């Protein structure tokens, strides 16, 4: 869809590279941009490409929840350690919630989520991140933020008028990274010829929880690989046709959003509902009941709400139309990710199931693959490929 004219264009691409980040924009609590709506997941699924590990969504434990001007800003958890600020996190009654020495980041994230879930959270749904009572004193604590995370420290001051050295702030877990994505091989090719994925759009290679620093490294290295192999393929192909019925179908889909409805809803209100459902369903702590409920809610939105989406009947620069298409794809992406989370009956990485709290290597040290078969999602396990470091044998 050419936004400037509203025209549907068929692009004769010999190779297509998906490089549109992860799908973290389908959650309400995220520290990623809202533009990461996961269109690549839904679109790859629709053309029959395999997707991998969509249940592995990494969370960061201490993102600001208030005020709105700084919502989703990462506040470094590690700086609470005794060698830095020696701060802590507190519930609404000012009870410290973390033991010392501090648990690793992921464990702390789940403790924070549990405190909020139990109703012990702060007024805006977080916990207090407090360094004001540190035995180190304010000058030393300030120096730590000024030297280790100067941009964040200044941003929070400027955008919210909060000096976190002087007053406690409200933080909560937010989705941070998509370890799942389009299944690729070593040439970054998807399971469909001519389709490539790079960076956070590709999945599987980070396992169940990515290591710090691996996001940017992967974006660069996979970007180079995908570019190289996509170019080599394009060189071999002389011409390509775009089936006219595909363009017609896309035009009809777009027309359906422009038509007046009896009880119309806006795409932005649909997006908001999707994000709220995904936020409480694909949460840091999951169980079968909440996952099934979330799946049903998403399916209901697809059936009942999506056909009511209406946008102004104009063609050029119709951003509402773009939002409608995004919302439609978000629904598919949400459905697929929830289905994968229901499927994996163990806890691993950031997929924590309170009804299956243990990691089960014997049955589940495998990748979850989801693919469309005869119009329906088919889910199965595939052994991971180990190249250099081999895990211990499973007894
Ligand atoms: C707060 C934060 C801190 C991080 N810190 C680190 C760190 O310290 N070290 C590290 O290694 N990694 C870190 N990461 C992760 C790292 O930044 C990302 O993994 C990496 O930027 C992903 O690169 P990418 O090119 O795949 O996607 P992105 O950088 O997300 O770029 C994707 C682009 O595609 C656009 N897009 C989305 N959908 C569409 C569409 N349908 N059509 C067209 N365009 C679209 C998006 O708007 C975006 O501009 C951090 C991430 C966040 C959010």
């Amino acid at each position: 869809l050419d936004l400037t004219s509203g025209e549907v264009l068929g692009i004769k691409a010999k190779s297509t590279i998906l490089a549109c980040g992860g799908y973290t924009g389908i959650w309400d609590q995220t520290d990623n941009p809202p533009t990461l709506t996961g269109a690549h997941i839904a679109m790859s699924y629709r053309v029959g490409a395999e997707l991998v590990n969509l249940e592995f969504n990494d969370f960061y434990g201490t993102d600001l929840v208030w005020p709105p001007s700084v919502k989703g800003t990462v506040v470094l958890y590690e700086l609470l350690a005794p060698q830095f600020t020696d701060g802590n996190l507190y519930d609404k009654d000012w009870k410290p919630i973390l033991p010392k020495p501090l648990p690793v980041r992921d464990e702390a994230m789940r403790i924070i989520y549990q405190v909020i879930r139990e109703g012990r959270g702060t007024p805006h749904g977080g916990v207090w991140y407090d360094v004001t009572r540190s035995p180190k004193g304010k000058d030393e604590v300030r120096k730590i933020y000024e030297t280790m995370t100067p941009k964040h420290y200044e941003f929070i001051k400027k955008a919210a008028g909060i000096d976190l050295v002087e007053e406690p702030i409200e933080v909560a877990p937010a989705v941070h990274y998509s370890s799942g994505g389009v299944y690729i091989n070593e040439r970054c090719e998807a399971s469909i010829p001519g389709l490539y994925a790079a960076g956070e759009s590709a999945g599987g290679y980070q396992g169940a929880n990515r290591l710090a620093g691996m996001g940017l490294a992967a974006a660069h290295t996979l970007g180079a690989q995908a570019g190289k192999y996509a170019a080599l393929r394009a060189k071999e192909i002389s011409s390509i046709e775009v089936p006219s019925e595909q363009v017609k179908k896309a035009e009809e889909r777009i027309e359906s959003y422009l038509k007046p409805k009896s009880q119309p809803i806006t795409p932005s209100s649909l997006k908001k509902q999707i994000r709220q459902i995904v936020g409480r369903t694909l949460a840091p702590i999951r169980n079968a009941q909440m996952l099934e409920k979330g799946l049903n809610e998403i399916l209901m939105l697809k059936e009942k709400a999506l056909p009511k989406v209406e946008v102004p009947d104009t063609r050029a620069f119709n951003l509402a139309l773009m939002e409608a298409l995004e919302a439609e794809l978000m629904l598919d992406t949400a459905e697929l990710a929830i289905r994968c989370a229901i499927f994996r009956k163990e806890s691993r990485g950031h997929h924590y199931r309170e009804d299956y709290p243990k990691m089960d290597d014997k049955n589940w040290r495998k990748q979850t693959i989801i693919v469309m078969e005869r119009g329906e999602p088919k889910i199965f396990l595939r052994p991971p490929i180990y190249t250099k470091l081999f895990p211990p044998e499973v007894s």
Side-chain angles (χ1 to χ4, degrees):
L1 174 67
D2 178 358
L3 266 186
T4 56
S5 64
E7 213 184 324
V8 177
L9 305 173
I11 298 173
K12 293 184 174 182
K14 294 174 181 173
S15 300
T16 301
I17 305 176
L18 298 167
C20 42
Y23 49 99
T24 43
I26 67 169
W27 274 257
D28 52 356
Q29 294 282 357
T30 176
D31 55 33
N32 282 227
T35 51
L36 302 180
T37 52
H40 61 293
I41 299 291
M43 289 166 82
S44 301
Y45 176 75
R46 287 178 184 189
V47 295
E50 290 178 348
L51 300 153
V52 60
N53 293 348
L54 297 185
E55 69 278 29
F56 292 145
N57 330 110
D58 299 19
F59 295 90
Y60 196 88
T62 50
D63 282 8
L64 274 164
V65 288
W66 190 259
S69 58
V70 288
K71 192 176 172 205
T73 303
V74 171
V75 186
L76 262 199
Y77 163 70
E78 288 79 359
L79 293 187
L80 294 175
Q83 63 270 40
F84 297 117
T85 67
D86 203 5
N88 207 330
L89 302 174
Y90 298 84
D91 70 5
K92 68 176 167 56
D93 300 319
W94 289 100
K95 224 173 111 199
I97 65 170
L98 297 178
K100 296 274 173 106
L102 290 179
V104 295
R105 191 162 104 178
D106 297 349
E107 275 173 43
M109 181 273 294
R110 271 194 285 276
I111 294 172
I112 299 165
Y113 184 74
Q114 183 61 19
V115 165
I116 297 166
R117 208 164 69 140
E118 285 169 5
R120 292 163 52 209
T122 52
H124 301 99
V127 294
W128 295 114
Y129 179 111
D130 185 28
V131 291
T132 62
R133 45 187 97 186
S134 162
K136 302 234 163 161
K138 287 187 178 161
D139 289 345
E140 198 178 329
V141 169
R142 181 169 288 109
K143 220 181 277 166
I144 289 166
Y145 287 107
E146 280 175 348
T147 49
M148 297 197 68
T149 57
K151 279 190 187 157
H152 286 69
Y153 180 54
E154 280 306 314
F155 171 69
I156 297 165
K157 264 210 250 178
K158 283 194 182 127
I162 294 174
D163 181 348
L164 67 93
V165 175
E166 299 289 343
E167 56 180 305
I169 49 174
E170 290 178 70
V171 296
V175 75
H176 183 63
Y177 185 84
S178 307
S179 285
V182 178
Y183 186 85
I184 51 162
N185 64 15
E186 69 279 14
R187 292 182 297 280
C188 291
E189 281 174 314
S191 59
I192 295 285
L195 184 64
Y196 298 79
E200 230 177 296
S201 290
Y205 57 91
Q206 304 278 19
N209 184 357
R210 87 161 157 85
L211 295 176
M214 279 295 292
L216 293 169
H220 292 142
T221 50
L222 297 192
Q225 287 290 93
K228 175 178 156 186
Y229 288 104
L232 286 173
R233 181 178 196 273
K235 235 175 155 181
E236 284 168 11
I237 295 171
S238 53
S239 73
I240 198 154
E241 283 311 310
V242 178
S244 58
E245 67 272 18
Q246 261 185 32
V247 179
K248 199 165 157 253
K249 246 183 166 176
E251 274 166 352
E252 283 167 5
R253 203 170 122 226
I254 286 166
E255 285 295 331
S256 72
Y257 292 116
L258 301 171
K259 281 192 190 129
K261 315 283 180 329
S262 59
Q263 287 174 310
I265 60 167
T266 62
S268 57
S269 73
L270 177 57
K271 276 181 158 181
K272 194 174 171 189
Q273 288 182 70
I274 298 168
R275 287 182 168 129
Q276 284 168 347
I277 295 168
V278 172
R280 61 175 181 259
T281 304
L282 292 173
I285 300 177
R286 306 164 178 184
N287 62 49
Q289 203 187 1
M290 68 197 268
L291 289 167
E292 291 288 354
K293 182 170 176 277
L295 177 62
N296 285 332
E297 287 173 326
I298 290 292
L299 294 176
M300 281 298 277
L301 285 185
K302 255 184 166 178
E303 192 191 321
K304 306 263 188 238
L306 187 62
K308 290 187 188 162
V309 170
E310 183 187 318
V311 301
D313 188 4
T314 54
R315 285 287 177 162
F317 293 108
N318 192 341
L319 294 180
L321 179 56
M322 188 183 83
E323 283 217 282
L325 297 171
E326 280 178 355
E328 178 197 313
L329 296 168
M330 280 169 77
L331 281 168
D332 279 8
T333 302
E335 179 194 336
L336 297 172
I338 297 172
R339 284 192 187 281
C340 291
I342 291 171
F343 178 75
R344 185 173 286 276
K345 293 179 177 54
E346 63 147 1
S347 291
R348 182 177 297 269
H350 282 233
H351 172 70
Y352 183 79
R353 293 269 311 241
E354 58 189 344
D355 44 355
Y356 299 96
K358 295 230 163 69
M359 190 159 79
D360 173 2
D361 276 348
K362 194 161 171 233
N363 296 302
W364 292 97
R365 198 167 72 190
K366 301 200 176 98
Q367 296 182 321
T368 310
I369 307 290
I370 189 161
V371 66
M372 193 200 288
E373 210 175 86
R374 286 186 279 278
E376 295 294 324
K378 179 186 162 190
I379 311 184
F380 59 95
L381 292 173
R382 176 176 292 157
I385 300 165
Y386 301 108
T387 51
K388 287 202 172 71
L389 290 173
F390 294 84
E393 288 293 315
V394 183
S395 55

